[in-house]
């Protein structure tokens, strides 16, 4: 099975009505710089996953292109389980919502969501680098 069909199958299995696979669009965007026969890269698949995950939750209530607090909470609980479970602050979701909601419309759009993913990814990379340095690599 190639990575393209794997991603499409993952999209189909999710079952959410608004679920779509954005990978073809990503691949189409990249075709200007790569041969048309090339497979999506791991980074393109990761980007597709972020888009899919966001829309899986944003489409549930109200504005389907933005997360309200309930949708954000569900996304955090289901997709960042370990991150949330090690936090004891009962107001954590409210605080994350306030931090992410840059334009103060009480919703988190994709641009605001990506900031959180980027910040967590940077923190994970910092930890990864620290561990490598401890091992002297
Ligand atoms: Ca917002």
């Amino acid at each position: 099975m190639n990575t393209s069909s794997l991603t499409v199958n993952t999209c189909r299995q999710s079952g959410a009505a608004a679920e779509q696979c954005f990978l073809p669009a990503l691949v189409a965007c990249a075709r200007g710089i790569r041969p048309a026969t090339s497979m999506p890269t791991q980074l393109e698949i990761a980007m597709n996953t972020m888009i899919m995950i966001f829309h899986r939750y944003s489409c549930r209530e109200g504005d389907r292109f933005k997360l309200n607090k309930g949708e954000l909470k569900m996304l955090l609980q289901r997709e960042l389980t370990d991150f949330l479970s090690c936090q004891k602050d009962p107001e954590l979701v409210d605080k994350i919502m306030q931090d992410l909601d840059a334009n103060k419309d009480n919703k988190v759009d994709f641009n605001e969501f990506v900031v959180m993913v980027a910040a967590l990814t940077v923190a994970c990379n910092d930890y990864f680098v620290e561990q490598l340095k401890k091992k002297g690599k």
Side-chain angles (χ1 to χ4, degrees), residues 23-43:
L23 197 55
L26 285 171
V27 173
C29 277
R31 289 232 161 120
I33 54 171
R34 289 191 290 124
T37 54
S38 62
M39 297 303 299
T41 65
Q42 282 192 301
L43 183 57

Side-chain angles (χ1 to χ4, degrees), residues 50-104:
M50 287 199 299
I51 295 169
M52 266 179 20
I53 296 287
F54 178 84
H55 288 276
R56 182 180 299 164
Y57 293 91
S58 72
C59 71
R60 291 173 181 263
E61 298 174 59
D63 187 333
R64 67 192 181 109
F65 299 113
K66 294 178 182 179
L67 298 166
N68 64 23
K69 197 171 90 174
E71 291 166 331
L72 176 66
K73 185 176 183 180
M74 187 182 290
L75 184 155
L76 292 170
Q77 287 174 333
R78 292 186 181 179
E79 308 296 339
L80 291 168
T81 313
D82 292 339
F83 167 72
L84 208 63
S85 65
C86 68
Q87 310 285 329
K88 302 294 179 207
D89 186 348
E91 305 200 349
L92 182 65
V93 175
D94 290 288
K95 289 176 180 174
I96 292 172
M97 183 88 189
Q98 285 172 14
D99 282 351
L100 295 180
D101 185 15
N103 66 357
K104 302 299 171 198

